[in-house]
Amino acid sequence: MAFAKEEVALAMKLTADGGSSTEEEAAIAMKLTEDGGSEDEEEEPALPVNLLEHHDGSCSEEADGGLGGWASAGSSTLSVHHDHAPPPLAATAEDVPCAHRRKPSGRYVLAAHRADEKDGLCREITCAPKPKVTYRVAGWVALEGGPSADSGHPVHVEVRTHEGARVGGGVLVAEPGKWAEIKGAFRVDEHPRRAEVYVHGPPAGVDIKVMDLRVCAVDKIARLRHLRKKTDKVRKRDVVLKFNPRSEDGNDDAAAAAVKGASIRVVQVENSFPIGACISKSSIQNPAFVDFFTKHFDWAVLENELKWYYTEPVQGQVSYADADELIAFCDRLKKPVRGHCIFWAVENSVQPWVRALNTDQLRAAVESRIRGLVARYSGRFPHYEVNNEMLHGAFFRHRLGDDIDAHMFRETAAIDPAPALFVNDYNVESANDPNATPEKYVALITDLQRRGAAVGGIGVQGHVTHPVGDVICDALDKLAATELPVWITELDVSAADEAVRADDLEVVLREAFAHPAVEGIMLWGFMQGHMWRSHGQLLNADGTISQAGNRFMGLRQEWTSHARGKVDANGHFKFRGFHGKYVVELAAGAGGKQVRRAFDVHKGDAPLVVDMNL
């Protein structure tokens, strides 16, 4: 058995400088290249190590009355039950080995008589988690009894160390009477003496049921294999270059014969999947920043300079000078600019003079802001984020009524119909925020559309910590049901350890690039000293490239197609390449005359046949 060359390269990269977070992961990666194995052959994978089990694989049920290691947290009382109609097997990920073979057991632990939101159940992680390894929390929860809620109740799955520090976990919103899949992740920086999982969150009186909770290390190699195949299907296409030479003297047969066997080189000059970054007035004064941005990014977004608090910090004193300077900078580099943002829904991001206005004054100020900004830049921005972070803030809605958000979209579209109008929010992809579940995001979008808002895209910010691929993919799948394009709009990963940061960045980039609903990625900064989050840089302050920067550049190179060869006897040259713009160079005839042509590869399932008339 042998892996494809690309897969071996991915495995080897994990063992390269900065590529793997642990020696164990490096050994796994090297094993791929030593043992081989065909991705088309079914292998019998080893069962994952569940850190909630004892070293002998047992849960000591006899010793604890059948509770399998669970204990009460707070005032709750625990009991064991069996559901004869367990939840259907969820579409869990390649991140959890053998997940597809693990049917829900139906056996669950019930936490009843809860007197507080913090009451619930806990369980010790008996096998200590290893530092800098990402772990996946998976299982099912359900609720019963207590006060009803149309949107369900949040359930928190927290992982805490012996000091009580929360190191990760997840949050879901569960509806009473329905099983919901737990999705969580965590990582520790140092060996903990003890770690526990806590499950809590619903109001007092609501019982919590937990079934088949597992804590397993993420299988990066399995996920990379899966994403490589998915990326090939989603982002690439078979191409046939068909040469039909014409001779000036009418001897077309001779011209065709001269082309057969000619050397050919195909170079991709632009990928149709843009990756951009935010810029600021200060960052473009740094030559190292400008050089990296110019070479490695396709689009730009202004970090702050277009926001209302920046352009009008004092009522009536409006200035777009800094925004104009940055837009002119991007125009010179021929890089499109996203419009971020017209409004910001979170109250503490609204400047004081706006918060001090009465209702009529605020409505007039909103109308003035829309007219002033949107008319000034009409036709300049391909995207606008209209009212930022509506899942986490409702300043304008509380003051001006439920329709104001949709009104902002309607008025923007009326003044400038060209840009796609985006919603934009954070934590949607992380499964750690009850206010920002994919379901709530879809409900927000649906309500805007019902009110006549022309929502043209979904922004998923992506300020992530210890990301897990299948959790991100699950969120993207749910957003894709809207049939709207999705952009990762503000991506940054924060990890002091450079190798961990590089791995985390790769997780998000690969998931986004492989997902058919995602149409672009914007990094929220990339250089130390010019970023909102610390420990997220691709480029260090001294201009040197970090491990994350090298990983980023490697992925961009991997996602670019080049091909060399010779034209076959039928006058064809075949290759499979990423969607985007290409240039072909052909050396034909006895003198090896160079012929150069440009062509585009668009999405499509059938092979693309391009007539290359010479």
Side-chain angles (χ1 to χ4, degrees):
M1 298 187 297
F3 281 93
K5 291 181 180 179
E6 297 92 336
E7 190 165 302
V8 172
L10 290 175
M12 290 297 291
K13 184 169 66 171
L14 284 176
T15 68
D17 182 30
S20 178
S21 298
T22 69
E23 293 180 3
E24 180 180 11
E25 290 166 3
I28 293 171
M30 288 299 294
K31 185 169 174 32
L32 279 176
T33 66
E34 294 168 358
D35 295 348
S38 171
E39 59 187 317
D40 296 322
E41 296 184 31
E42 287 295 329
E43 298 182 19
E44 187 68 21
L47 287 172
V49 176
N50 183 359
L51 300 193
L52 294 180
E53 295 176 345
H54 293 287
H55 294 288
D56 61 359
S58 71
C59 293
S60 300
E61 295 181 3
E62 295 80 4
D64 58 17
L67 292 175
W70 287 105
S72 174
S75 65
S76 60
T77 58
L78 305 188
S79 56
V80 179
H81 304 268
H82 196 280
D83 190 334
H84 296 287
L89 186 63
T92 51
E94 292 76 11
D95 282 20
V96 185
C98 301
H100 60 288
R101 298 170 56 205
R102 288 182 173 272
K103 295 182 179 179
S105 66
R107 184 179 179 281
Y108 65 89
V109 178
L110 173 72
H113 307 113
R114 299 174 55 253
D116 187 84
E117 292 181 357
K118 295 297 183 181
D119 295 339
L121 58 169
C122 64
R123 185 168 173 175
E124 183 180 1
I125 299 177
T126 53
C127 299
K130 297 181 180 179
K132 301 177 183 178
V133 173
T134 302
Y135 289 90
R136 176 80 158 79
V137 179
W140 289 267
V141 299
L143 305 178
E144 64 179 31
S148 62
D150 294 337
S151 58
H153 299 297
V155 179
H156 296 259
V157 182
E158 292 185 357
V159 179
R160 304 176 191 170
T161 64
H162 63 281
E163 297 92 352
R166 184 182 183 276
V167 294
V171 179
L172 58 87
V173 177
E175 299 179 32
K178 296 182 180 180
W179 286 103
E181 188 181 8
I182 295 173
K183 295 182 184 298
F186 72 95
R187 186 164 57 213
V188 295
D189 293 329
E190 298 178 353
H191 280 287
R193 292 198 300 272
R194 181 180 178 184
E196 293 180 313
V197 176
Y198 289 79
V199 184
H200 63 90
V206 177
D207 296 343
I208 304 174
K209 300 190 289 188
V210 179
M211 182 187 298
D212 300 344
L213 193 70
R214 305 185 305 279
V215 174
C216 305
V218 170
D219 186 345
K220 294 181 180 179
I221 301 301
R223 192 68 187 176
L224 285 174
R225 181 186 299 119
H226 167 74
L227 290 175
R228 184 181 66 80
K229 293 191 293 183
K230 186 177 178 183
T231 296
D232 184 86
K233 180 179 180 181
V234 171
R235 300 294 173 192
K236 299 178 82 173
R237 187 176 184 181
D238 289 322
V239 181
V240 179
L241 302 182
K242 184 178 180 181
F243 292 92
N244 301 300
R246 297 290 183 264
S247 174
E248 294 180 359
D249 59 8
N251 191 355
D252 292 345
D253 290 340
V259 168
K260 294 174 183 178
S263 296
I264 187 170
R265 184 168 76 108
V266 178
V267 178
Q268 186 172 13
V269 295
E270 181 181 313
N271 196 300
S272 64
F273 186 98
I275 299 180
C278 73
I279 61 175
S280 65
K281 183 176 174 62
S282 62
S283 66
I284 67 168
Q285 310 305 317
N286 188 311
F289 180 100
V290 172
D291 181 67
F292 195 90
F293 173 78
T294 302
K295 291 178 179 177
H296 301 293
F297 293 101
D298 310 308
W299 283 43
V301 61
L302 311 192
E303 185 173 12
N304 295 307
E305 285 80 357
L306 207 64
K307 293 171 181 171
W308 194 6
Y309 70 70
Y310 192 103
T311 61
E312 193 177 5
V314 178
Q315 187 173 15
Q317 297 181 16
V318 181
S319 174
Y320 293 101
D322 290 344
D324 289 346
E325 180 182 343
L326 291 172
I327 293 168
F329 166 81
C330 293
D331 287 346
R332 291 193 295 272
L333 297 175
K334 295 182 171 55
K335 297 185 188 293
V337 182
R338 301 187 76 245
H340 174 80
C341 52
I342 303 176
F343 297 100
W344 198 340
V346 179
E347 183 166 353
N348 62 11
S349 297
V350 177
Q351 61 269 51
W353 72 262
V354 173
R355 295 201 301 266
L357 299 175
N358 64 34
T359 300
D360 292 338
Q361 292 168 335
L362 178 58
R363 190 175 299 277
V366 166
E367 299 297 334
S368 178
R369 165 67 173 173
I370 295 175
R371 290 192 304 270
L373 173 65
V374 179
R376 178 184 181 86
Y377 295 109
S378 181
R380 295 299 305 272
F381 301 134
H383 299 168
Y384 263 124
E385 278 143 10
V386 177
N387 191 13
N388 199 36
E389 299 176 359
M390 288 181 283
L391 291 175
H392 291 91
F395 170 77
F396 297 100
R397 189 163 64 249
H398 288 160
R399 298 284 299 276
L400 300 176
D402 291 342
D403 192 56
I404 188 60
D405 296 332
H407 174 79
M408 293 170 175
F409 278 79
R410 295 193 301 262
E411 290 301 299
T412 299
I415 297 171
D416 186 1
L421 306 184
F422 274 65
V423 292
N424 191 52
D425 229 302
Y426 62 92
N427 286 347
V428 179
E429 76 296 327
S430 298
N432 62 5
D433 185 346
N435 296 313
T437 65
E439 292 82 0
K440 288 189 176 182
Y441 211 10
V442 171
L444 169 68
I445 294 164
T446 302
D447 182 66
L448 289 169
Q449 293 172 325
R450 182 178 62 82
R451 296 174 183 273
V455 181
I458 303 173
V460 177
Q461 291 186 10
H463 302 294
V464 298
T465 305
H466 50 255
V468 173
D470 79 292
V471 176
I472 296 170
C473 184
D474 179 74
L476 294 175
D477 286 344
K478 291 173 180 176
L479 298 179
T482 64
E483 299 185 351
L484 291 171
V486 177
W487 278 60
I488 309 300
T489 52
E490 302 183 17
L491 174 61
D492 52 28
V493 297
S494 179
D497 185 289
E498 280 205 26
V500 171
R501 187 191 318 152
D503 285 350
D504 285 353
L505 179 65
E506 181 174 6
V507 166
V508 186
L509 290 175
R510 285 195 182 277
E511 291 295 337
F513 190 70
H515 201 285
V518 180
E519 296 190 358
I521 299 171
M522 304 294 295
L523 270 64
W524 204 244
F526 59 86
M527 186 174 187
Q528 187 178 26
H530 297 286
M531 294 191 68
W532 172 63
R533 291 178 83 189
S534 60
H535 304 304
Q537 70 268 20
L538 281 61
L539 194 66
N540 297 319
D542 61 2
T544 58
I545 299 173
S546 70
Q547 291 183 31
N550 282 316
R551 189 72 58 86
F552 171 78
M553 293 189 297
L555 287 172
R556 296 231 65 180
Q557 184 177 11
E558 180 185 324
W559 296 334
T560 303
S561 300
H562 302 310
R564 289 178 179 270
K566 294 184 181 296
V567 179
D568 67 18
N570 297 315
H572 297 168
F573 180 76
K574 301 176 182 179
F575 74 100
R576 184 169 179 81
F578 289 100
H579 307 143
K581 296 183 180 298
Y582 287 81
V583 170
V584 58
E585 295 178 349
L586 178 73
K593 180 182 177 182
Q594 288 280 341
V595 177
R596 185 180 174 92
R597 294 286 188 274
F599 64 96
D600 292 346
V601 176
H602 301 293
K603 292 181 180 180
D605 295 327
L608 174 68
V609 179
V610 183
D611 287 322
M612 307 297 292
N613 297 315
L614 302 179

